[in-house]
Every structure is written in C-alpha cells, then in structure tokens.
C-alpha cells in the first residue's frame, strides 16, 4: 500500500503559488519527497518561497512538541517548470498525484492528454486525486448558473461542465474510487491497478 512506502513520492500538477502544496505537506510524513509542476516561472518562484516558509514553521512546530528536527530533515519540494501534458518524469515515478483547479481551464483534448500523463507517471497501486469545480448534475440547483462563468474569462468552463471527467482517467487505465462534493468544489480519486493482481486481492 501507499502508506507503507517510504519515503513517499508525491507529484502536484499545476501547483500555482504553492499554497495548496503546504496544506498537502502538512498531512504527509516529513520525509515525503514532494515534486510540484507549473508552467509559470513566476508561480514557481512564489511556490519556492511558500515552501521555504512552510518548512521553517513546520520545524519550529515539531520541535516545540518535543521533536528534534534539523534544518535539513525536511526536504525542499522539487519545483519543475513543465507543460502538464508533457511531464518530464519516467513512467510510474510517483506514489500519489494531485491536481487542483486546473481542468476547467483546459480544452477537452488537453484534459485527455494531461490525464494520460498523470496516469503514466503514477505507480501501480498509487492514487490520483483531482479537485476542481462542480459540473452539471453535481448540485442540480446550481446548474443554471454554471454557464455564467464563461463570461468571466473562462472560455472552456461550459465544456468542462459537460465533460466526462472519470472517462479521461478510465481510458488511461485508472479505476474510480471516490467522489466528494463540498459547496461548489468536488474531488475525484482514482487508483492504478497492480498488474497481475485480481480485483479485491490487492492489499
């Protein structure tokens, strides 16, 4: 299982300024090897600053609670400038992949390519979590207002609201796990089957 792999290797796709990265790292073992990708060098600079600040505060917190965490005990995140549809990593490099609020900004064909890349770099037995806006049918009472976002510099939002998001990942070999809707946000999780292990037999 992922929990038994140490150090855990996690990839965040389209990390932006790195604020979400700090929240994720708060919930991971301190020895986790965290990699974050974004196309913008300016966002990556901000993410680097946020990561440095988070590591300093986390060390202080751990040591206040009786720990003995040195300056080099929490590794900096590895920040990589790259296109999300062409990730510069080997196949099956990461135990977990996360992506937050990217897909509604992409045309459908690029969503398919990004999904394929995230599935490619995910290890067998690993998990992928996609978080983004709700779509049509997730909260029917809000369906009528979703189209209004197209007028707010979101040219792909209407198509996103009608897209089959799980299909992008299932076509690339992943299996759906959970769906959680909170307010106007939803999260979908997927797993990558272990070759040669029948469904229900995996640990």
């Amino acid at each position: 299982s992922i929990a038994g792999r140490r150090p855990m290797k996690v990839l965040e796709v389209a990390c932006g300024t790195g604020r979400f990265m700090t929240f994720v790292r708060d919930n991971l073992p301190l020895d986790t090897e965290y990699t974050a990708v974004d196309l913008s060098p300016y966002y990556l600079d901000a993410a680097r600053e946020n990561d440095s600040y988070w590591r300093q505060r986390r060390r202080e917190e751990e040591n206040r609670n009786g720990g003995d965490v040195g300056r080099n005990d929490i590794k900096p995140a590895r920040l990589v400038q790259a296109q999300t549809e062409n990730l510069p990593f080997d196949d099956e490099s990461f135990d977990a992949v996360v992506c937050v609020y990217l897909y509604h900004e992409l045309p459908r064909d690029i969503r398919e390519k990004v999904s394929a890349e995230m599935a490619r770099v995910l290890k067998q037995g690993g998990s992928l979590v996609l978080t983004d806006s709700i779509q049509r049918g997730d909260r029917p009472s809000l369906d009528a207002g979703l189209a209004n976002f197209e007028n707010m510099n979101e040219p792909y939002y209407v198509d996103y609201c009608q897209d089959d998001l799980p299909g992008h990942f299932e076509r690339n070999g992943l299996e759906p796990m959970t769906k959680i809707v909170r307010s106007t946000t939803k999260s979908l999780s997927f797993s990558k089957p272990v070759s040669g292990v029948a469904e229900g037999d995996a640990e």
Side-chain angles (χ1 to χ4, degrees):
S1 67
I2 291 178
R5 298 174 183 172
R6 300 292 291 272
M8 185 186 303
K9 296 183 179 181
V10 176
L11 171 67
E12 182 179 349
V13 173
C15 67
T17 62
R19 290 290 293 142
F20 182 74
M21 172 176 66
T22 65
F23 302 147
V24 176
R25 296 195 77 183
D26 267 334
N27 291 278
L28 294 172
L30 290 181
D31 63 351
T32 296
E33 296 179 2
Y34 199 97
T35 300
V37 168
D38 203 277
L39 185 59
S40 167
Y42 307 105
Y43 279 163
L44 289 174
D45 284 343
R48 191 170 290 106
E49 291 181 5
N50 277 323
D51 182 62
S52 177
Y53 179 76
W54 174 83
R55 285 184 287 114
Q56 176 185 339
R57 294 300 300 271
R58 186 62 189 269
R59 282 195 302 270
E60 293 171 354
E61 179 182 352
E62 292 289 330
N63 291 335
R64 277 197 305 271
N65 292 326
D68 184 22
V69 180
R71 185 175 182 83
N72 299 317
D73 289 340
I74 306 176
K75 293 181 180 179
R78 179 169 60 140
L79 302 172
V80 179
Q81 184 181 5
Q83 293 179 314
T84 54
E85 65 268 36
N86 187 26
L87 297 173
F89 308 115
D90 293 337
D91 295 355
E92 301 188 1
S93 295
F94 298 96
D95 300 299
V97 178
V98 297
C99 179
V100 177
Y101 269 85
L102 171 67
Y103 271 41
H104 74 278
E105 298 183 356
L106 303 176
R108 188 175 298 208
D109 62 326
I110 301 300
R111 287 181 216 131
E112 182 73 20
K113 291 178 180 178
V114 174
S115 303
E117 279 293 271
M118 291 197 291
R120 178 183 66 79
V121 302
L122 183 65
K123 292 181 181 180
Q124 295 182 31
S127 297
L128 183 151
V129 178
L130 175 74
T131 298
D132 212 304
S133 165
I134 58 173
Q135 297 175 283
R136 285 189 175 276
D138 290 323
R139 296 191 64 189
S141 63
L142 300 180
D143 281 357
L146 292 179
N148 294 333
F149 284 92
E150 187 176 28
N151 301 320
M152 301 173 65
N153 295 318
E154 297 288 359
Y156 305 115
Y157 191 82
V158 170
D159 178 74
Y160 164 84
C161 287
Q162 303 172 45
D163 195 6
D164 174 20
L165 292 185
H168 289 299
F169 296 97
E170 292 178 72
R171 284 189 291 275
N172 287 286
L174 302 190
E175 297 179 348
M177 295 173 62
T178 63
K179 171 183 174 180
I180 299 173
V181 176
R182 295 289 184 270
S183 185
T184 56
T185 294
K186 76 171 175 182
S187 291
L188 303 174
S189 66
F190 303 86
S191 64
K192 188 170 189 175
V194 177
S195 296
V197 177
E199 185 175 354
D201 290 342
E203 294 182 359

